[in-house]
Amino acid sequence: MPLTRSLMIRLEDVLAIAWRELRSILGDSGAILFFLVVPFAYPFLYAALYGAEVAREAPLVVVDRSRSELSREFVRRIDASPDVAVVAHATTETEATPYIDRGEAYGVLVIPEDFSRRLMQGRQATVNLHSTFAAALYYKGYSLTATEVALQLGRELEAERNPAASTEATRIQVRPIESEWTSSFNPQGGFQGFLLPGVLVLILQQTLLLGCSMLMGTQRERGTLARPRLHAGGHYLGVLRLMLGRALCYLGLYTMSSLFVLVLAPRLFGLPQLLDLRTYCWLLPPMLLAMIFFALFWALVVQHREKTMILWVFTSIPFLFLTGLSWPLSAIPAPLRALGYLIPSTPGVQAYVAASSMGAQPYDILPQYTTLWVQAIVYFLLATYAYARMLRKAQSH
């Protein structure tokens, strides 16, 4: 057979398998949900949850044991800030607890009896801030506001104690080094702009993993997944063509999905978007291929359709932590960091966030880009080997 004809037959086989896979998806309501609905619906869901960006007017209960002019001024300034609202005053922590239990407040500020006396003596005074993590963003508002008010009040008291000093001398005494809080690449300090770009990449991987697992679980139940050599066009197909055909189907679907999820959705929700078309087209192929073959390999673990949710839904949170987005990579133990680089979402999230939120160019994300290509090749070989082994076992029986 001429080489050209042989290549054409193989190409037709790959296209036929891709078409067959697409028909399987369209004939399965669960697969339609994961492949065609969730990637378009979830960005809107997360945008609705975190659209407020920052938590304002965090409710706080104050226990002022000092009852002095300075303590009242301290509380007044905290209440005047945009991030905290003092909703009640209590005499003891026990009296403040019911506000927490009823959800009327999420934090308690305790000012000790010696607060004013220590400040007037030029000594350091402390306050105690207790917060429940039922609303973690409120804790950020409490701690930053209390810190800023304390620094400002301290500067003013220092200036009053040295009335003869010049303004510059007072400034140097109170604050030798000027500092300013600047949130890089997230100027509003919002949760949506910080978290959502990484979650968008994770949505692509998890919907692929869940959808492929559901399809293969169904095929296992029906006994069609491990048929020895799938027949098409009058001849038998090899495992390599089978994997390439399935990958082509998902690559076509997710090229369209990723265009919405990674390019259009961030613009709709007003997220920082510095990703240019050249970088997007450069990054997308290895990221999608790594996710596709990762999903095809791990989907072979699923024995029953219903077990898909049990096996994979819980992995979304650990996968997100391993990316270093919600927890610094430097604080993650080395074994877990190594584990993270076995998962396509880790380099995928890092590369996409760097490009979209920080304006990174291709050479800036080359390590993640290379990792994605390595993952794509390794998971392709693993998926092909695992499926071929499954077919050989089926033939032997």
Side-chain angles (χ1 to χ4, degrees):
M1 182 182 296
L3 179 61
T4 305
R5 177 59 181 160
S6 177
L7 290 176
M8 287 299 297
I9 289 176
R10 283 165 172 74
L11 179 59
E12 289 173 0
D13 289 344
V14 170
L15 293 175
I17 294 167
W19 175 244
R20 179 181 296 176
E21 192 74 7
L22 180 61
R23 285 190 300 173
S24 298
I25 293 171
L26 297 177
D28 188 312
S29 58
I32 290 175
L33 178 67
F34 285 122
F35 289 130
L36 301 177
V37 177
V38 171
F40 294 93
Y42 261 43
F44 288 98
L45 175 62
Y46 278 97
L49 290 174
Y50 302 117
E53 286 282 10
V54 292
R56 299 292 191 188
E57 297 294 324
L60 179 70
V61 178
V62 172
V63 178
D64 184 2
R65 291 175 176 167
S66 176
R67 297 194 179 112
S68 62
E69 181 181 351
L70 280 176
S71 65
R72 286 191 292 271
E73 177 64 16
F74 185 74
V75 172
R76 187 192 67 78
R77 294 190 184 191
I78 286 179
D79 190 28
S81 72
D83 294 334
V84 179
V86 176
V87 296
H89 292 263
T91 55
T92 63
E93 290 94 325
T94 303
E95 188 179 321
T97 301
Y99 292 95
I100 304 294
D101 296 338
R102 294 193 297 266
E104 297 176 8
Y106 295 93
V108 178
L109 179 70
V110 181
I111 302 176
E113 294 90 340
D114 60 353
F115 176 80
S116 180
R117 184 176 68 255
R118 293 177 70 89
L119 288 178
M120 297 309 294
Q121 292 173 350
R123 299 162 62 195
Q124 183 177 9
T126 60
V127 296
N128 297 319
L129 177 63
H130 308 280
S131 175
T132 171
F133 274 84
L137 287 181
Y138 285 156
Y139 173 75
K140 174 187 173 184
Y142 297 145
S143 59
L144 290 180
T145 299
T147 301
E148 188 60 34
V149 170
L151 289 173
Q152 181 63 33
L153 192 60
R155 286 195 292 268
E156 294 175 5
L157 290 174
E158 186 65 26
E160 290 178 5
R161 276 194 291 268
N162 297 278
S166 65
T167 303
E168 185 65 15
T170 302
R171 185 192 67 79
I172 294 173
Q173 174 68 24
V174 175
R175 199 168 190 173
I177 300 175
E178 287 292 339
S179 61
E180 182 179 352
W181 175 272
T182 302
S183 181
S184 301
F185 310 112
N186 187 10
Q188 71 272 32
F191 201 65
Q192 177 176 275
F194 151 74
L195 184 66
L196 193 53
V199 171
L200 293 177
V201 176
L202 196 62
I203 287 172
L204 297 178
Q205 175 183 281
Q206 294 303 91
T207 53
L208 266 167
L209 182 60
L210 290 165
C212 289
S213 297
M214 183 168 288
L215 281 177
M216 289 193 178
T218 303
Q219 291 169 5
R220 273 187 184 274
E221 291 175 355
R222 296 174 180 174
T224 59
L225 181 63
R227 279 181 184 170
R229 307 296 179 183
L230 296 178
H231 186 271
H235 57 275
Y236 290 94
L237 302 174
V239 176
L240 185 63
R241 276 171 274 178
L242 178 64
M243 285 296 158
L244 290 176
R246 284 180 164 171
L248 180 62
C249 172
Y250 299 127
L251 186 62
L253 284 176
Y254 274 77
T255 297
M256 294 183 293
S257 298
S258 64
L259 182 63
F260 172 78
V261 173
L262 302 181
V263 179
L264 298 179
R267 286 180 166 80
L268 286 175
F269 307 138
L271 300 179
Q273 189 57 251
L274 303 175
L275 182 69
D276 60 74
L277 184 61
R278 180 174 65 94
T279 305
Y280 170 76
C281 295
W282 182 76
L283 176 62
L284 188 66
M287 185 166 68
L288 286 186
L289 288 173
M291 290 178 177
I292 288 167
F293 291 122
F294 174 82
L296 289 174
F297 172 69
W298 286 108
L300 293 173
V301 174
V302 178
Q303 300 292 326
H304 302 283
R305 177 186 177 94
E306 291 77 13
K307 290 185 178 179
T308 296
M309 306 298 287
I310 300 172
L311 283 173
W312 303 129
V313 167
F314 83 95
T315 60
S316 298
I317 299 301
F319 286 173
L320 183 63
F321 272 95
L322 290 174
T323 63
L325 184 66
S326 57
W327 193 261
L329 277 177
S330 58
I332 298 177
L336 288 179
R337 286 203 303 272
L339 175 64
Y341 280 97
L342 300 178
I343 304 163
S345 58
T346 299
V349 167
Q350 292 172 1
Y352 175 72
V353 170
S356 64
S357 300
M358 307 177 192
Q361 296 301 304
Y363 55 81
D364 297 314
I365 54 176
L366 190 59
Q368 290 84 4
Y369 178 80
T370 305
T371 302
L372 287 168
W373 273 120
V374 171
Q375 288 180 344
I377 294 169
V378 170
Y379 279 115
F380 168 68
L381 295 175
L382 287 174
T384 303
Y385 171 76
Y387 193 78
R389 188 168 180 271
M390 186 175 60
L391 288 178
R392 285 196 298 270
K393 286 181 65 176
Q395 284 179 314
S396 65
H397 292 301

